[in-house]
Amino acid sequence: MSDSRNNLGIATELRRRFGEGLLRAEEDEPGTLHVEVDAGVIVEVCRFLSEQAQPPYPYLSDAFGADYEDHLQVVYHLFRPETGEGALVRANMARDEAVLPTLAGLYNTANWAEREIAEMFGVTFDGHPDPRKLLLPDDWVGYPLRKDYNLPDHVYLRPEPLHEDPQAFLAGEAEPEVTDE
């Protein structure tokens, strides 16, 4: 069961410890602490939440990137398995300076999640133990989950009438493309 007093106390302590580096700390919904930080304090904030907060958030269940056109954001979802409570920790960075210290030394689960964010959004994770690509080929150019990314023409699949316009295909108005491949 959620105890909002714990999260309010944690939010107060975060504000005290991290001052201007902390952009937001509040419980928007019962059991979920929302924290937004400058990129430079992400490791210290997550270390506090995982080791010193009472009760702590000892697990990283997920991390993902987001593109807001004017900035990029990495969101870490921390978790208390005993209570089911979570903390969403967001780090903002400029699109052209997308660098964030890695959390892989603090949470093992950050390793692959940060690798995926790096190749899909172009965020560099300083100090990451294994910065190799995870999903895309080594020669892939660009960051496919950024809003300004244009998928190269050679990557598009041929149109399939059944998927493009199922009603026309089923009515016999569209024919599948036949190729010699």
Side-chain angles (χ1 to χ4, degrees), residues 21-160:
L22 186 74
L23 306 175
R24 174 180 175 218
E26 56 195 36
E27 185 178 54
D28 285 349
E29 55 202 59
T32 303
L33 180 65
H34 292 267
V35 179
E36 196 166 338
V37 301
D38 283 334
V41 298
I42 186 72
V43 174
E44 293 81 11
V45 167
C46 287
R47 185 175 314 282
F48 168 78
L49 290 171
S50 71
E51 297 173 358
Q52 298 170 8
Q54 290 305 315
Y57 293 91
Y59 296 101
L60 171 68
S61 63
D62 194 13
F64 54 90
D67 182 350
Y68 290 96
E69 293 184 359
D70 63 332
H71 70 282
L72 297 176
Q73 185 177 80
V74 174
V75 181
Y76 293 96
H77 184 200
L78 309 182
F79 187 64
R80 291 178 178 150
E82 300 83 10
T83 63
E85 294 172 309
L88 294 173
V89 183
R90 296 172 165 86
N92 298 320
M93 65 214 83
R95 297 174 68 79
D96 58 346
E97 297 176 21
V99 178
L100 195 61
T102 185
L103 291 186
L106 187 57
Y107 297 106
N108 290 334
T109 51
N111 190 323
W112 280 30
E114 288 179 347
R115 286 173 62 189
E116 180 181 353
I117 295 164
E119 67 184 298
M120 294 295 165
F121 289 94
V123 176
T124 300
F125 290 93
D126 271 351
H128 195 281
D130 186 9
R132 293 176 298 146
K133 287 191 175 188
L134 183 64
L135 302 170
L136 298 174
D138 288 336
D139 61 348
W140 191 274
V141 177
Y143 308 108
L145 293 183
R146 282 194 179 193
K147 291 181 178 179
D148 60 356
Y149 181 75
N150 292 315
L151 191 63
D153 290 337
H154 72 278
V155 175
Y156 283 108
L157 301 175
R158 290 184 299 277
E160 289 187 38

